[in-house]
């Protein structure tokens, strides 16, 4: 039995859930068929140099619009990167690393699968970034003193909801409560 199964993400058709689990004593990336309950490990963590960690308590995997790809963050060779697996055979399709960004987490595809949004740490602040698949540098889409994480993109790709530690009242007061924030990304890519 596993100790934890965390960060679930439904495929767009609702038939598959991707999640992180330590079912085999190490943190690995799994998928499970919702109808049959059949579970499959698709990426191993912590046992090989190719992926030491999947950031199980701060990053969830993200599906492409049609469920053809699954993106997730991982630490590789001491640096964070986004790995993308093809749902056909679950082979590694692509990896993307970005200079000066650490703690990359929760990659989420934009509608049309031309880009994705993720959170990352640059310096001492966690902000949201938009990255295209053409290899260009990611564009910072939040840039403030607040901690922005766990982006979720609207189905039409126009809005991003995310968790943030911004004060609820909008004033620069200290708050122990996190809140849900949003950003319009129309025209950003």
């Amino acid at each position: 039995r596993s100790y934890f199964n965390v960060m679930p993400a439904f495929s767009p058709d609702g038939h598959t859930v991707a999640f992180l689990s330590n079912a085999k004593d190490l943190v690995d990336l799994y998928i499970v068929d919702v109808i049959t309950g059949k579970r499959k490990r698709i990426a191993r963590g912590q046992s090989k140099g190719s992926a030491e960690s999947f950031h199980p308590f701060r990053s969830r995997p993200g599906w492409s619009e049609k469920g053809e790809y699954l993106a997730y963050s991982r630490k590789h060779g001491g640096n964070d990167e986004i790995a993308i697996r093809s749902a056909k055979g679950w082979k590694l399709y692509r990896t993307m690393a970005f200079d000066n960004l650490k703690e990359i987490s929760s990659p989420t595809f934009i509608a049309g699968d031309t880009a994705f949004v993720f959170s990352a740490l640059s310096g001492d602040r966690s902000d949201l970034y938009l990255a295209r698949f053409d290899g260009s540098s990611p564009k910072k889409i939040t840039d403030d003193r607040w901690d922005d994480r766990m982006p979720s993109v609207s189905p039409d790709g126009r809005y991003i909801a995310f968790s943030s530690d911004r004060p609820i009242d909008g004033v620069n007061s200290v708050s122990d409560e996190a809140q849900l924030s949003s950003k319009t990304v129309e025209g950003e890519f």
Side-chain angles (χ1 to χ4, degrees):
R1 296 270 167 181
S2 63
Y3 182 69
F4 63 78
N5 299 300
V6 296
M7 300 297 177
F10 270 103
S11 62
D13 67 8
H15 295 161
T16 307
V17 174
F19 62 99
L20 298 167
S21 176
N22 66 342
K24 304 269 185 190
D25 291 329
L26 301 171
V27 180
D28 299 317
L29 179 62
Y30 287 84
I31 56 163
V32 63
D33 183 298
V34 174
I35 296 166
T36 67
K38 184 177 178 186
R39 173 192 277 217
K40 179 178 181 168
R41 179 172 50 191
I42 62 171
R44 295 174 187 251
Q46 299 175 325
S47 61
K48 297 182 178 181
S50 62
E52 295 90 30
S53 175
F54 291 118
H55 310 305
F57 296 107
R58 67 176 168 81
S59 183
R60 72 173 173 269
W63 292 89
S64 63
E65 184 177 23
K66 294 179 182 174
E68 297 168 330
Y69 299 97
L70 181 68
Y72 56 95
S73 65
R74 69 179 190 175
K75 191 167 281 290
H76 177 77
N79 296 312
D80 281 351
E81 67 182 13
I82 293 172
I84 302 169
R85 290 195 176 267
S86 170
K88 292 182 181 177
W90 298 108
K91 300 287 184 197
L92 188 62
Y93 171 73
R94 182 176 187 176
T95 60
M96 299 177 77
F98 307 103
D99 294 337
N100 303 316
L101 293 181
K102 298 178 181 178
E103 295 188 25
I104 293 173
S105 64
S106 300
T108 304
F109 286 87
I110 294 285
D113 297 338
T114 59
F116 55 92
V117 176
F118 60 95
S119 65
L121 192 67
S122 176
D124 62 348
R125 299 183 312 194
S126 178
D127 285 301
L128 300 183
Y129 293 82
L130 180 88
R132 297 179 188 189
F133 290 110
D134 63 8
S136 59
S137 294
K139 179 180 181 180
K140 189 183 274 191
I141 55 176
T142 60
D143 188 8
D144 50 42
R145 66 183 185 156
W146 312 113
D147 188 36
D148 303 327
R149 295 186 180 268
M150 303 296 282
S152 180
V153 179
S154 65
D156 63 7
R158 294 178 54 206
Y159 304 100
I160 300 170
F162 56 96
S163 63
S164 179
D165 62 353
R166 287 169 168 71
I168 292 173
D169 61 8
V171 180
N172 292 335
S173 61
V174 177
S175 172
D176 290 336
E177 298 180 43
Q179 77 171 31
L180 186 64
S181 297
S182 65
K183 172 126 176 98
T184 304
V185 291
E186 209 166 27
E188 297 274 348
F189 56 98

